[in-house]
Amino acid sequence: CPWQGPYHELSVHEAECTHPTKTGNELMEILDEMDQTRKKEMQLYNSIFSLLSFEKIGYTEVQFRPYRTDDFITRLYYETPRLTVLNQTWVLKARVNDSERNPNLSCKRTLSFQLILKSKINSPMECSFLLLEGPYDDVKINPVIYHFVFSNENNETDYMALPIVDSVECNKLLAAKNINLRLFIFQIQK
């Protein structure tokens, strides 16, 4: 059973837990799923460790500030001030509930973000990047590595999901005055 919790809740959990009544096949499926999750986590951490061996690595703390559009349906979005990483100028933008026409009518919240290169560059710049929780936030973000080749003609990524654990964590993040995260950029050398 993968349950975790404080010791004083153990007896309540044991009384309600369905694992002791499961068949061997059902337990094997659960164990297989746990193994697959562990393999994915190990692949992710191995990828992060290999990125850490790159020659050009940059990171910075970013602070998203809220803005509202003047559209017929007012939309909330977030943007960072310009920031410098790897001797280039960048901006991050974020939107709430990309997939919905009226995101304000839903209590299930998601955030998506895009990375925009504001500097002019001489040749395409291939990068891997990820956003993690900042030093002053306790929001739970699953690390995801994104990849993009920036050029003067193609200087902004599509909007990508900010991998927040769930909508409760997202609401906690949105309730804050500002969103503080940490951006890592790894430049891939040819």
Side-chain angles (χ1 to χ4, degrees), residues 51-52 54-62 83-92 113-118 125-132 145-148 150 157 182-189:
L51 287 174
L52 290 172
F54 282 21
E55 181 183 339
K56 293 192 175 186
I57 301 171
Y59 81 93
T60 188
E61 268 91 45
V62 296
L83 44 113
T84 302
V85 180
L86 298 176
N87 297 322
Q88 304 297 332
T89 305
W90 309 85
V91 167
L92 281 161
F113 75 97
Q114 78 174 155
L115 180 61
I116 303 166
L117 175 65
K118 291 293 190 178
M125 184 176 172
E126 189 174 351
C127 296
S128 292
F129 57 95
L130 67 149
L131 276 172
L132 298 174
I145 300 168
Y146 297 99
H147 190 80
F148 194 76
F150 293 92
T157 66
R182 191 170 275 170
L183 170 68
F184 289 85
I185 302 177
F186 307 88
Q187 186 176 350
I188 299 169
Q189 299 293 308

Side-chain angles (χ1 to χ4, degrees), residues 62-168:
V62 296
Q63 186 176 72
F64 286 93
R65 294 188 181 129
Y67 294 93
R68 295 194 184 281
T69 64
D70 292 332
D71 299 339
F72 177 68
I73 297 173
T74 303
R75 295 198 181 273
L76 174 66
Y77 72 98
Y78 291 83
E79 191 171 314
T80 65
R82 289 180 180 236
L83 44 113
T84 302
V85 180
L86 298 176
N87 297 322
Q88 304 297 332
T89 305
W90 309 85
V91 167
L92 281 161
K93 289 185 178 181
R95 305 190 291 209
V96 181
N97 291 34
D98 253 356
S99 58
E100 296 180 29
R101 240 186 98 191
N102 295 326
N104 54 328
L105 301 179
S106 172
C107 62
K108 281 196 158 228
R109 303 267 194 261
T110 60
L111 265 175
S112 55
F113 75 97
Q114 78 174 155
L115 180 61
I116 303 166
L117 175 65
K118 291 293 190 178
S119 303
K120 294 294 179 204
I121 52 178
N122 297 329
S123 60
M125 184 176 172
E126 189 174 351
C127 296
S128 292
F129 57 95
L130 67 149
L131 276 172
L132 298 174
E133 58 264 20
Y136 309 111
D137 280 333
D138 64 347
V139 68
K140 294 173 181 66
I141 297 178
N142 292 324
V144 173
I145 300 168
Y146 297 99
H147 190 80
F148 194 76
V149 179
F150 293 92
S151 66
N152 291 328
E153 299 78 34
N154 196 15
N155 66 337
E156 55 188 56
T157 66
D158 291 333
Y159 274 89
M160 300 159 292
L162 183 63
I164 302 169
V165 172
D166 56 28
S167 66
V168 172

